[in-house]
Amino acid sequence: MRTPAVRRLAPAIYAMALAIGGGLPPAALAQAKTVQTPYKNPKALVDIYLDDPAKLPSALYWVRGLVNPLTEAPYSMFAEDMSIIVLLHGTEIVTLAKKNQERYQEVVQRMRYYAEMGVKFKVCGLAMKDYDYTAADLYDFVEVTPSALTELMHWQNQGYALIPATVMDKKFSIEQIR
């Protein structure tokens, strides 16, 4: 039990400890621990629904965030070890139309790269029709599904983790805020 005198001195003692430790309590100076979560046969469904096709390059960082750690050491998984599906059903569909090849060449190359690694790219058939496209208008690595919503439901029922690819407008550079 603390006496009134000890209670009055406690803030002063704490302030001295902060000054000696460079302004931080000793526990705050400890280093973060790196862990290796034991991932096994991951199944992910990346849901991409964007209001601007220019945001697709940013949305693909969600795919990179899955593929790169799983295929690199210490995991070193192969395509058959993981199952990743990317479902597109917003304005980004225009990037997959072959007629827009010149305009979206770089982002299509990134998607093709992931497709060659085993990532499946699917497009909502209803949205495709809204844009007046047919399957023949899209690249060969794309699968057309009947509906994005029924596809989302189906794969979640198969145990796939739903990962919405949220893309926000960037207000600050990393250098500005760190």
Side-chain angles (χ1 to χ4, degrees), residues 148-172:
L149 295 179
T150 55
E151 200 72 11
L152 287 166
M153 177 185 61
H154 169 76
W155 292 108
Q156 286 181 85
N157 286 339
Q158 303 303 310
Y160 280 68
L162 177 62
I163 301 173
T166 306
V167 178
M168 295 187 230
D169 294 326
K170 193 170 188 177
K171 295 180 183 179
F172 307 102

PDB file of all heavy atoms in Angstrom, residues 148-172:
ATOM      1  N   ALA A 148     -20.750 -11.831 -59.801  1.00  0.00           N
ATOM      2  CA  ALA A 148     -19.748 -11.629 -58.745  1.00  0.00           C
ATOM      3  C   ALA A 148     -20.300 -12.044 -57.382  1.00  0.00           C
ATOM      4  O   ALA A 148     -19.605 -12.695 -56.605  1.00  0.00           O
ATOM      5  CB  ALA A 148     -19.307 -10.171 -58.715  1.00  0.00           C
ATOM      6  N   LEU A 149     -21.535 -11.687 -57.105  1.00  0.00           N
ATOM      7  CA  LEU A 149     -22.088 -11.990 -55.780  1.00  0.00           C
ATOM      8  C   LEU A 149     -22.231 -13.488 -55.550  1.00  0.00           C
ATOM      9  O   LEU A 149     -21.883 -14.004 -54.484  1.00  0.00           O
ATOM     10  CB  LEU A 149     -23.423 -11.278 -55.584  1.00  0.00           C
ATOM     11  CG  LEU A 149     -23.330  -9.756 -55.566  1.00  0.00           C
ATOM     12  CD1 LEU A 149     -24.705  -9.138 -55.385  1.00  0.00           C
ATOM     13  CD2 LEU A 149     -22.366  -9.270 -54.514  1.00  0.00           C
ATOM     14  N   THR A 150     -22.733 -14.202 -56.552  1.00  0.00           N
ATOM     15  CA  THR A 150     -22.859 -15.655 -56.380  1.00  0.00           C
ATOM     16  C   THR A 150     -21.477 -16.305 -56.329  1.00  0.00           C
ATOM     17  O   THR A 150     -21.285 -17.307 -55.628  1.00  0.00           O
ATOM     18  CB  THR A 150     -23.723 -16.284 -57.491  1.00  0.00           C
ATOM     19  OG1 THR A 150     -23.178 -15.935 -58.760  1.00  0.00           O
ATOM     20  CG2 THR A 150     -25.165 -15.817 -57.395  1.00  0.00           C
ATOM     21  N   GLU A 151     -20.522 -15.736 -57.025  1.00  0.00           N
ATOM     22  CA  GLU A 151     -19.153 -16.261 -56.994  1.00  0.00           C
ATOM     23  C   GLU A 151     -18.535 -16.043 -55.607  1.00  0.00           C
ATOM     24  O   GLU A 151     -17.907 -16.945 -55.054  1.00  0.00           O
ATOM     25  CB  GLU A 151     -18.318 -15.575 -58.080  1.00  0.00           C
ATOM     26  CG  GLU A 151     -17.094 -16.330 -58.471  1.00  0.00           C
ATOM     27  CD  GLU A 151     -17.351 -17.592 -59.278  1.00  0.00           C
ATOM     28  OE1 GLU A 151     -18.481 -17.825 -59.748  1.00  0.00           O
ATOM     29  OE2 GLU A 151     -16.393 -18.364 -59.438  1.00  0.00           O
ATOM     30  N   LEU A 152     -18.737 -14.852 -55.052  1.00  0.00           N
ATOM     31  CA  LEU A 152     -18.250 -14.569 -53.701  1.00  0.00           C
ATOM     32  C   LEU A 152     -18.843 -15.555 -52.695  1.00  0.00           C
ATOM     33  O   LEU A 152     -18.134 -16.113 -51.857  1.00  0.00           O
ATOM     34  CB  LEU A 152     -18.600 -13.135 -53.289  1.00  0.00           C
ATOM     35  CG  LEU A 152     -17.799 -12.024 -53.962  1.00  0.00           C
ATOM     36  CD1 LEU A 152     -18.462 -10.671 -53.732  1.00  0.00           C
ATOM     37  CD2 LEU A 152     -16.370 -12.016 -53.478  1.00  0.00           C
ATOM     38  N   MET A 153     -20.129 -15.776 -52.797  1.00  0.00           N
ATOM     39  CA  MET A 153     -20.811 -16.693 -51.897  1.00  0.00           C
ATOM     40  C   MET A 153     -20.260 -18.114 -52.055  1.00  0.00           C
ATOM     41  O   MET A 153     -19.954 -18.795 -51.073  1.00  0.00           O
ATOM     42  CB  MET A 153     -22.318 -16.677 -52.177  1.00  0.00           C
ATOM     43  CG  MET A 153     -23.123 -17.652 -51.342  1.00  0.00           C
ATOM     44  SD  MET A 153     -24.861 -17.676 -51.813  1.00  0.00           S
ATOM     45  CE  MET A 153     -24.779 -18.193 -53.523  1.00  0.00           C
ATOM     46  N   HIS A 154     -20.132 -18.561 -53.293  1.00  0.00           N
ATOM     47  CA  HIS A 154     -19.663 -19.921 -53.560  1.00  0.00           C
ATOM     48  C   HIS A 154     -18.295 -20.180 -52.940  1.00  0.00           C
ATOM     49  O   HIS A 154     -18.093 -21.166 -52.230  1.00  0.00           O
ATOM     50  CB  HIS A 154     -19.610 -20.177 -55.075  1.00  0.00           C
ATOM     51  CG  HIS A 154     -18.900 -21.444 -55.420  1.00  0.00           C
ATOM     52  ND1 HIS A 154     -19.488 -22.676 -55.257  1.00  0.00           N
ATOM     53  CD2 HIS A 154     -17.639 -21.669 -55.881  1.00  0.00           C
ATOM     54  CE1 HIS A 154     -18.633 -23.622 -55.625  1.00  0.00           C
ATOM     55  NE2 HIS A 154     -17.501 -23.033 -56.000  1.00  0.00           N
ATOM     56  N   TRP A 155     -17.337 -19.306 -53.205  1.00  0.00           N
ATOM     57  CA  TRP A 155     -15.975 -19.557 -52.739  1.00  0.00           C
ATOM     58  C   TRP A 155     -15.844 -19.400 -51.230  1.00  0.00           C
ATOM     59  O   TRP A 155     -15.069 -20.114 -50.596  1.00  0.00           O
ATOM     60  CB  TRP A 155     -14.977 -18.683 -53.498  1.00  0.00           C
ATOM     61  CG  TRP A 155     -14.900 -19.122 -54.929  1.00  0.00           C
ATOM     62  CD1 TRP A 155     -15.386 -18.476 -56.029  1.00  0.00           C
ATOM     63  CD2 TRP A 155     -14.349 -20.356 -55.413  1.00  0.00           C
ATOM     64  NE1 TRP A 155     -15.164 -19.221 -57.166  1.00  0.00           N
ATOM     65  CE2 TRP A 155     -14.529 -20.382 -56.815  1.00  0.00           C
ATOM     66  CE3 TRP A 155     -13.719 -21.439 -54.807  1.00  0.00           C
ATOM     67  CZ2 TRP A 155     -14.102 -21.444 -57.602  1.00  0.00           C
ATOM     68  CZ3 TRP A 155     -13.294 -22.503 -55.597  1.00  0.00           C
ATOM     69  CH2 TRP A 155     -13.487 -22.492 -56.972  1.00  0.00           C
ATOM     70  N   GLN A 156     -16.622 -18.513 -50.644  1.00  0.00           N
ATOM     71  CA  GLN A 156     -16.614 -18.423 -49.178  1.00  0.00           C
ATOM     72  C   GLN A 156     -17.179 -19.698 -48.569  1.00  0.00           C
ATOM     73  O   GLN A 156     -16.679 -20.182 -47.554  1.00  0.00           O
ATOM     74  CB  GLN A 156     -17.401 -17.202 -48.707  1.00  0.00           C
ATOM     75  CG  GLN A 156     -16.658 -15.902 -48.959  1.00  0.00           C
ATOM     76  CD  GLN A 156     -17.454 -14.724 -48.466  1.00  0.00           C
ATOM     77  OE1 GLN A 156     -17.384 -14.392 -47.289  1.00  0.00           O
ATOM     78  NE2 GLN A 156     -18.202 -14.106 -49.359  1.00  0.00           N
ATOM     79  N   ASN A 157     -18.199 -20.262 -49.205  1.00  0.00           N
ATOM     80  CA  ASN A 157     -18.751 -21.536 -48.731  1.00  0.00           C
ATOM     81  C   ASN A 157     -17.752 -22.683 -48.887  1.00  0.00           C
ATOM     82  O   ASN A 157     -17.886 -23.711 -48.219  1.00  0.00           O
ATOM     83  CB  ASN A 157     -20.051 -21.875 -49.465  1.00  0.00           C
ATOM     84  CG  ASN A 157     -21.215 -21.030 -49.008  1.00  0.00           C
ATOM     85  OD1 ASN A 157     -21.195 -20.458 -47.921  1.00  0.00           O
ATOM     86  ND2 ASN A 157     -22.237 -20.920 -49.849  1.00  0.00           N
ATOM     87  N   GLN A 158     -16.759 -22.510 -49.745  1.00  0.00           N
ATOM     88  CA  GLN A 158     -15.706 -23.522 -49.938  1.00  0.00           C
ATOM     89  C   GLN A 158     -14.517 -23.286 -48.999  1.00  0.00           C
ATOM     90  O   GLN A 158     -13.498 -23.950 -49.127  1.00  0.00           O
ATOM     91  CB  GLN A 158     -15.214 -23.518 -51.394  1.00  0.00           C
ATOM     92  CG  GLN A 158     -16.282 -23.751 -52.440  1.00  0.00           C
ATOM     93  CD  GLN A 158     -17.028 -25.054 -52.220  1.00  0.00           C
ATOM     94  OE1 GLN A 158     -16.424 -26.105 -52.038  1.00  0.00           O
ATOM     95  NE2 GLN A 158     -18.344 -24.986 -52.231  1.00  0.00           N
ATOM     96  N   GLY A 159     -14.643 -22.323 -48.108  1.00  0.00           N
ATOM     97  CA  GLY A 159     -13.597 -22.077 -47.120  1.00  0.00           C
ATOM     98  C   GLY A 159     -12.569 -21.035 -47.501  1.00  0.00           C
ATOM     99  O   GLY A 159     -11.542 -20.895 -46.828  1.00  0.00           O
ATOM    100  N   TYR A 160     -12.809 -20.278 -48.551  1.00  0.00           N
ATOM    101  CA  TYR A 160     -11.872 -19.226 -48.961  1.00  0.00           C
ATOM    102  C   TYR A 160     -12.048 -18.000 -48.079  1.00  0.00           C
ATOM    103  O   TYR A 160     -13.176 -17.601 -47.776  1.00  0.00           O
ATOM    104  CB  TYR A 160     -12.107 -18.833 -50.422  1.00  0.00           C
ATOM    105  CG  TYR A 160     -11.485 -19.786 -51.404  1.00  0.00           C
ATOM    106  CD1 TYR A 160     -11.964 -21.080 -51.537  1.00  0.00           C
ATOM    107  CD2 TYR A 160     -10.404 -19.397 -52.200  1.00  0.00           C
ATOM    108  CE1 TYR A 160     -11.393 -21.975 -52.428  1.00  0.00           C
ATOM    109  CE2 TYR A 160      -9.833 -20.284 -53.093  1.00  0.00           C
ATOM    110  CZ  TYR A 160     -10.322 -21.565 -53.196  1.00  0.00           C
ATOM    111  OH  TYR A 160      -9.748 -22.438 -54.065  1.00  0.00           O
ATOM    112  N   ALA A 161     -10.938 -17.401 -47.685  1.00  0.00           N
ATOM    113  CA  ALA A 161     -10.977 -16.156 -46.924  1.00  0.00           C
ATOM    114  C   ALA A 161     -11.252 -15.003 -47.881  1.00  0.00           C
ATOM    115  O   ALA A 161     -10.587 -14.889 -48.913  1.00  0.00           O
ATOM    116  CB  ALA A 161      -9.643 -15.941 -46.216  1.00  0.00           C
ATOM    117  N   LEU A 162     -12.228 -14.192 -47.554  1.00  0.00           N
ATOM    118  CA  LEU A 162     -12.565 -13.039 -48.390  1.00  0.00           C
ATOM    119  C   LEU A 162     -11.664 -11.872 -48.020  1.00  0.00           C
ATOM    120  O   LEU A 162     -11.590 -11.462 -46.862  1.00  0.00           O
ATOM    121  CB  LEU A 162     -14.027 -12.638 -48.207  1.00  0.00           C
ATOM    122  CG  LEU A 162     -14.480 -11.401 -48.972  1.00  0.00           C
ATOM    123  CD1 LEU A 162     -14.337 -11.608 -50.474  1.00  0.00           C
ATOM    124  CD2 LEU A 162     -15.912 -11.051 -48.605  1.00  0.00           C
ATOM    125  N   ILE A 163     -10.965 -11.337 -49.027  1.00  0.00           N
ATOM    126  CA  ILE A 163     -10.079 -10.202 -48.826  1.00  0.00           C
ATOM    127  C   ILE A 163     -10.519  -9.083 -49.756  1.00  0.00           C
ATOM    128  O   ILE A 163     -10.256  -9.125 -50.956  1.00  0.00           O
ATOM    129  CB  ILE A 163      -8.612 -10.586 -49.095  1.00  0.00           C
ATOM    130  CG1 ILE A 163      -8.199 -11.720 -48.155  1.00  0.00           C
ATOM    131  CG2 ILE A 163      -7.705  -9.376 -48.955  1.00  0.00           C
ATOM    132  CD1 ILE A 163      -6.847 -12.287 -48.421  1.00  0.00           C
ATOM    133  N   PRO A 164     -11.245  -8.090 -49.233  1.00  0.00           N
ATOM    134  CA  PRO A 164     -11.636  -6.954 -50.074  1.00  0.00           C
ATOM    135  C   PRO A 164     -10.417  -6.070 -50.350  1.00  0.00           C
ATOM    136  O   PRO A 164      -9.743  -5.643 -49.421  1.00  0.00           O
ATOM    137  CB  PRO A 164     -12.665  -6.205 -49.232  1.00  0.00           C
ATOM    138  CG  PRO A 164     -12.865  -6.990 -47.987  1.00  0.00           C
ATOM    139  CD  PRO A 164     -11.771  -8.005 -47.896  1.00  0.00           C
ATOM    140  N   ALA A 165     -10.121  -5.833 -51.605  1.00  0.00           N
ATOM    141  CA  ALA A 165      -8.966  -5.009 -51.986  1.00  0.00           C
ATOM    142  C   ALA A 165      -9.359  -3.539 -51.892  1.00  0.00           C
ATOM    143  O   ALA A 165      -9.767  -2.922 -52.862  1.00  0.00           O
ATOM    144  CB  ALA A 165      -8.499  -5.369 -53.390  1.00  0.00           C
ATOM    145  N   THR A 166      -9.235  -2.988 -50.712  1.00  0.00           N
ATOM    146  CA  THR A 166      -9.585  -1.603 -50.458  1.00  0.00           C
ATOM    147  C   THR A 166      -8.475  -0.689 -50.981  1.00  0.00           C
ATOM    148  O   THR A 166      -7.305  -0.900 -50.663  1.00  0.00           O
ATOM    149  CB  THR A 166      -9.783  -1.366 -48.955  1.00  0.00           C
ATOM    150  OG1 THR A 166     -10.743  -2.307 -48.464  1.00  0.00           O
ATOM    151  CG2 THR A 166     -10.239   0.051 -48.666  1.00  0.00           C
ATOM    152  N   VAL A 167      -8.852   0.298 -51.763  1.00  0.00           N
ATOM    153  CA  VAL A 167      -7.882   1.266 -52.283  1.00  0.00           C
ATOM    154  C   VAL A 167      -8.377   2.648 -51.898  1.00  0.00           C
ATOM    155  O   VAL A 167      -9.455   3.067 -52.296  1.00  0.00           O
ATOM    156  CB  VAL A 167      -7.725   1.159 -53.817  1.00  0.00           C
ATOM    157  CG1 VAL A 167      -6.754   2.218 -54.325  1.00  0.00           C
ATOM    158  CG2 VAL A 167      -7.277  -0.232 -54.220  1.00  0.00           C
ATOM    159  N   MET A 168      -7.562   3.328 -51.122  1.00  0.00           N
ATOM    160  CA  MET A 168      -7.905   4.680 -50.701  1.00  0.00           C
ATOM    161  C   MET A 168      -7.033   5.678 -51.446  1.00  0.00           C
ATOM    162  O   MET A 168      -5.957   5.330 -51.920  1.00  0.00           O
ATOM    163  CB  MET A 168      -7.707   4.821 -49.203  1.00  0.00           C
ATOM    164  CG  MET A 168      -8.647   3.955 -48.407  1.00  0.00           C
ATOM    165  SD  MET A 168      -8.469   4.330 -46.674  1.00  0.00           S
ATOM    166  CE  MET A 168      -8.282   2.694 -46.015  1.00  0.00           C
ATOM    167  N   ASP A 169      -7.504   6.901 -51.527  1.00  0.00           N
ATOM    168  CA  ASP A 169      -6.694   7.958 -52.132  1.00  0.00           C
ATOM    169  C   ASP A 169      -5.566   8.302 -51.164  1.00  0.00           C
ATOM    170  O   ASP A 169      -5.808   8.568 -49.992  1.00  0.00           O
ATOM    171  CB  ASP A 169      -7.552   9.195 -52.416  1.00  0.00           C
ATOM    172  CG  ASP A 169      -8.603   8.930 -53.483  1.00  0.00           C
ATOM    173  OD1 ASP A 169      -8.314   8.146 -54.410  1.00  0.00           O
ATOM    174  OD2 ASP A 169      -9.698   9.498 -53.388  1.00  0.00           O
ATOM    175  N   LYS A 170      -4.358   8.280 -51.662  1.00  0.00           N
ATOM    176  CA  LYS A 170      -3.183   8.528 -50.830  1.00  0.00           C
ATOM    177  C   LYS A 170      -3.011  10.032 -50.628  1.00  0.00           C
ATOM    178  O   LYS A 170      -2.870  10.779 -51.587  1.00  0.00           O
ATOM    179  CB  LYS A 170      -1.952   7.923 -51.495  1.00  0.00           C
ATOM    180  CG  LYS A 170      -0.757   7.847 -50.610  1.00  0.00           C
ATOM    181  CD  LYS A 170       0.336   7.031 -51.260  1.00  0.00           C
ATOM    182  CE  LYS A 170       1.465   6.800 -50.296  1.00  0.00           C
ATOM    183  NZ  LYS A 170       2.492   5.947 -50.873  1.00  0.00           N
ATOM    184  N   LYS A 171      -3.006  10.470 -49.366  1.00  0.00           N
ATOM    185  CA  LYS A 171      -2.877  11.887 -49.042  1.00  0.00           C
ATOM    186  C   LYS A 171      -1.449  12.267 -48.678  1.00  0.00           C
ATOM    187  O   LYS A 171      -1.060  13.411 -48.802  1.00  0.00           O
ATOM    188  CB  LYS A 171      -3.798  12.234 -47.874  1.00  0.00           C
ATOM    189  CG  LYS A 171      -5.264  12.086 -48.193  1.00  0.00           C
ATOM    190  CD  LYS A 171      -6.110  12.440 -47.000  1.00  0.00           C
ATOM    191  CE  LYS A 171      -7.574  12.214 -47.322  1.00  0.00           C
ATOM    192  NZ  LYS A 171      -8.431  12.515 -46.189  1.00  0.00           N
ATOM    193  N   PHE A 172      -0.674  11.300 -48.174  1.00  0.00           N
ATOM    194  CA  PHE A 172       0.667  11.573 -47.703  1.00  0.00           C
ATOM    195  C   PHE A 172       1.633  10.543 -48.259  1.00  0.00           C
ATOM    196  O   PHE A 172       1.283   9.377 -48.409  1.00  0.00           O
ATOM    197  CB  PHE A 172       0.739  11.500 -46.167  1.00  0.00           C
ATOM    198  CG  PHE A 172      -0.286  12.356 -45.467  1.00  0.00           C
ATOM    199  CD1 PHE A 172      -1.428  11.789 -44.926  1.00  0.00           C
ATOM    200  CD2 PHE A 172      -0.107  13.720 -45.355  1.00  0.00           C
ATOM    201  CE1 PHE A 172      -2.373  12.562 -44.290  1.00  0.00           C
ATOM    202  CE2 PHE A 172      -1.045  14.508 -44.715  1.00  0.00           C
ATOM    203  CZ  PHE A 172      -2.178  13.931 -44.185  1.00  0.00           C
TER     204      PHE A 172
END
